[in-house]
Structure formats: structure tokens, C-alpha cells
Amino acid sequence: MSETVIELPSAAPAFAHPREIPADDWNRYRGNVAEILAAFGLPLDTAGTRETPERFLRALYDATGGYDGDPKLVTTFPTESDAGGEAFAQVVEGPIAFAALCEHHALPFFGHAHVGYIAGERIIGISKLTRLVRLFARRFTVQERLGEQIADTLVDLVDPLGVAVRLEASHLCTQMRGVEERSRTTTTAWRGAYRDAELRREFLELTR
Ligand SMILES: [Zn+2]
């Protein structure tokens, strides 16, 4: 199976766009974080907490690494010719664990993604589907948009006959405060052949 890097003029910025934070800015952010944490009750003068502002900033930066892009994502393969026998054969991958930050509260929502597609001329490696989910999950986002972005980008990558994405997540912004809900939120995104109710039902059964 030969590996091919395909050209993606429109989607290219999503795949490699590293952030650059000047050291002076980073140091100022660390000071701001320290001020907020201390004001809210965290003593910053202990061995365990002295580096907490730096660690928090670093963790937040890593958790939003999706903005840096993922150049390793842009690799697809031709569909093997003998795999074309069955019409509308689904490739379904999951559960793919993800953690994202809700853009309303900058607090995590996390859960599992299932991604399905019906291959046309090209397929994408299973590990690339994980990369695809994380490219958009490691950002400030909302669950609905996350599913739409995964679906649209998979369409751009392999031009499949259909794409299905199902996300199930717990949102800390509702669970940590006030209502203390323990519920999980499920969203779906459909493209192409998955407009067919029978295919949607099959996908949902496979991912339940
Ligand atoms: Zn929220």
C-alpha cells in the first residue's frame, strides 16, 4: 500500500499553524495566573504549589495544542481494489477518548468519539482518526462544533461517500458548580450517505 500526501489548499492552515508565545508574554501570563489563584485561596508559598502557576499555564497550553495543527494527519491511502465489493461498507472507529475545553467557561468536557465513514477512493489510517479527533478537541470549543469539524475535515481528507460522528461527553462546567448534574451529552454529525436513516441506525447500533 503506497502512502500519498494529498494537497489540501483550503484546509491546510488547520493542519500546521504552530502558536508562538514570546517569553515576556508567557512570564506575564504566569504572574496573572498566580494573582488569580492566590486571590481565590491557593497558598503559593509551599513546596507543592510554588510552581503551580507555571504548571497550570503549561497544562492549559498543552490542552489547547489543537491550535498548533497536526501535520502528520494529512496522509491517506488508496482503497484496496478488492474492498469495493460491498456497497456502503462502514468503517467505524471508537471509542476514541478526548478532552476539550468548553469555550463558555474554559473548563473541560471529556468523553468518547465514534467516527464512521463509507470509503470512496481513499481511506485513512485508524490512528489518523484519533489524531483528527484530537486536532479539534484540544481547543476552546463546543461539543456540537467539534463533531461538525471532525466530519467536515474527514470529508476533505478522503472524500468519502458518507461520514458519521457521535460524541458523548461529560461537561465539568455544569458538574463542578451549581446544578451538579451527572448527565452525559450526546451529539451526532452526518454527511453524505448517512442521510439515509437505515445507515444512521446501523452506525448508532455499532457505537452503542
Ligand atoms: Zn461550559
Side-chain angles (χ1 to χ4, degrees):
M1 193 179 274
S2 66
E3 198 169 281
T4 312
V5 176
I6 56 170
E7 296 288 329
L8 288 166
S10 61
F15 293 99
H17 201 62
R19 295 169 292 176
E20 283 173 26
I21 311 283
D24 284 356
D25 290 349
W26 186 275
N27 293 337
R28 192 175 69 250
Y29 303 160
R30 188 176 53 227
N32 294 340
V33 167
E35 184 182 359
I36 294 166
L37 294 179
F40 287 2
L42 180 67
L44 290 175
D45 54 356
T46 74
T49 59
R50 206 159 286 136
E51 299 299 321
T52 297
E54 172 67 22
R55 281 191 294 257
F56 172 80
L57 213 48
R58 176 59 57 184
L60 192 58
Y61 187 74
D62 292 345
T64 51
Y67 292 114
D68 293 325
D70 183 354
K72 289 186 181 162
L73 186 59
V74 194
T75 309
T76 62
F77 304 95
T79 306
E80 287 185 17
S81 52
D82 58 359
E86 197 186 337
F88 294 140
Q90 300 192 48
V91 178
V92 178
E93 177 63 15
I96 299 168
F98 72 86
L101 294 170
C102 114
E103 70 179 13
H104 303 129
H105 302 92
L107 288 171
F109 66 93
F110 59 95
H112 294 93
H114 284 86
V115 180
Y117 69 98
I118 298 161
E121 305 269 296
R122 309 198 67 77
I123 57 172
I124 188 168
I126 297 297
S127 68
K128 299 292 163 48
L129 290 176
T130 303
R131 285 181 174 277
L132 176 60
V133 169
R134 295 196 176 144
L135 173 69
F136 293 108
R138 289 185 181 162
R139 299 180 184 212
F140 299 104
T141 186
V142 296
Q143 186 172 332
E144 293 81 355
R145 186 191 309 137
L146 177 56
E148 301 293 328
Q149 286 176 319
I150 293 166
D152 286 337
T153 307
L154 191 52
V155 168
D156 286 346
L157 280 172
V158 294
D159 193 21
L161 300 177
V163 170
V165 178
R166 176 173 180 270
L167 303 177
E168 202 179 316
S170 301
H171 292 246
L172 284 188
C173 56
T174 58
Q175 296 187 359
M176 287 171 68
R177 325 164 298 142
V179 283
E180 297 266 348
E181 281 180 47
R182 283 285 176 268
S183 67
R184 292 172 73 78
T185 305
T186 301
T187 54
T188 52
W190 313 102
R191 297 291 182 274
Y194 283 98
R195 299 215 163 80
D196 177 69
E198 190 56 42
L199 271 175
R200 285 206 298 274
R201 191 156 39 239
E202 195 180 306
F203 172 79
L204 290 173
E205 265 164 32
L206 285 168
T207 60
R208 212 152 262 152

PDB file of all heavy atoms in Angstrom, residues 12 15 26 115 151 201:
ATOM      1  N   ALA A  12      -5.476  23.405   4.667  1.00  0.00           N
ATOM      2  CA  ALA A  12      -4.090  23.329   5.114  1.00  0.00           C
ATOM      3  C   ALA A  12      -3.800  24.081   6.420  1.00  0.00           C
ATOM      4  O   ALA A  12      -3.110  23.542   7.280  1.00  0.00           O
ATOM      5  CB  ALA A  12      -3.160  23.811   4.012  1.00  0.00           C
ATOM      6  N   PHE A  15      -3.889  22.220   9.645  1.00  0.00           N
ATOM      7  CA  PHE A  15      -3.003  21.092   9.908  1.00  0.00           C
ATOM      8  C   PHE A  15      -1.623  21.491  10.420  1.00  0.00           C
ATOM      9  O   PHE A  15      -0.945  20.683  11.012  1.00  0.00           O
ATOM     10  CB  PHE A  15      -2.877  20.233   8.649  1.00  0.00           C
ATOM     11  CG  PHE A  15      -4.168  19.553   8.318  1.00  0.00           C
ATOM     12  CD1 PHE A  15      -5.006  20.060   7.355  1.00  0.00           C
ATOM     13  CD2 PHE A  15      -4.559  18.431   9.016  1.00  0.00           C
ATOM     14  CE1 PHE A  15      -6.217  19.455   7.081  1.00  0.00           C
ATOM     15  CE2 PHE A  15      -5.764  17.825   8.748  1.00  0.00           C
ATOM     16  CZ  PHE A  15      -6.603  18.332   7.769  1.00  0.00           C
ATOM     17  N   TRP A  26       4.661  35.104  28.137  1.00  0.00           N
ATOM     18  CA  TRP A  26       4.447  33.918  28.986  1.00  0.00           C
ATOM     19  C   TRP A  26       4.665  34.277  30.449  1.00  0.00           C
ATOM     20  O   TRP A  26       3.882  33.889  31.322  1.00  0.00           O
ATOM     21  CB  TRP A  26       5.389  32.791  28.552  1.00  0.00           C
ATOM     22  CG  TRP A  26       5.137  31.504  29.285  1.00  0.00           C
ATOM     23  CD1 TRP A  26       5.639  31.150  30.509  1.00  0.00           C
ATOM     24  CD2 TRP A  26       4.292  30.434  28.864  1.00  0.00           C
ATOM     25  NE1 TRP A  26       5.171  29.916  30.869  1.00  0.00           N
ATOM     26  CE2 TRP A  26       4.335  29.445  29.875  1.00  0.00           C
ATOM     27  CE3 TRP A  26       3.504  30.206  27.728  1.00  0.00           C
ATOM     28  CZ2 TRP A  26       3.617  28.244  29.787  1.00  0.00           C
ATOM     29  CZ3 TRP A  26       2.807  29.008  27.642  1.00  0.00           C
ATOM     30  CH2 TRP A  26       2.856  28.050  28.671  1.00  0.00           C
ATOM     31  N   VAL A 115     -16.247   7.547  15.173  1.00  0.00           N
ATOM     32  CA  VAL A 115     -16.194   8.130  13.839  1.00  0.00           C
ATOM     33  C   VAL A 115     -16.402   7.009  12.832  1.00  0.00           C
ATOM     34  O   VAL A 115     -15.722   5.979  12.889  1.00  0.00           O
ATOM     35  CB  VAL A 115     -14.836   8.816  13.580  1.00  0.00           C
ATOM     36  CG1 VAL A 115     -14.809   9.427  12.176  1.00  0.00           C
ATOM     37  CG2 VAL A 115     -14.562   9.886  14.635  1.00  0.00           C
ATOM     38  N   ALA A 151     -16.308  15.852  11.145  1.00  0.00           N
ATOM     39  CA  ALA A 151     -16.992  15.330   9.958  1.00  0.00           C
ATOM     40  C   ALA A 151     -16.512  16.056   8.696  1.00  0.00           C
ATOM     41  O   ALA A 151     -16.164  15.421   7.698  1.00  0.00           O
ATOM     42  CB  ALA A 151     -18.507  15.480  10.122  1.00  0.00           C
ATOM     43  N   ARG A 201     -29.011   4.279  11.683  1.00  0.00           N
ATOM     44  CA  ARG A 201     -29.390   3.318  12.714  1.00  0.00           C
ATOM     45  C   ARG A 201     -28.287   2.274  12.905  1.00  0.00           C
ATOM     46  O   ARG A 201     -27.925   1.927  14.018  1.00  0.00           O
ATOM     47  CB  ARG A 201     -30.717   2.647  12.321  1.00  0.00           C
ATOM     48  CG  ARG A 201     -31.347   1.821  13.423  1.00  0.00           C
ATOM     49  CD  ARG A 201     -32.850   1.652  13.253  1.00  0.00           C
ATOM     50  NE  ARG A 201     -33.250   1.458  11.869  1.00  0.00           N
ATOM     51  CZ  ARG A 201     -34.097   2.265  11.216  1.00  0.00           C
ATOM     52  NH1 ARG A 201     -34.623   3.301  11.817  1.00  0.00           N
ATOM     53  NH2 ARG A 201     -34.419   2.011   9.967  1.00  0.00           N
TER      54      ARG A 201
END
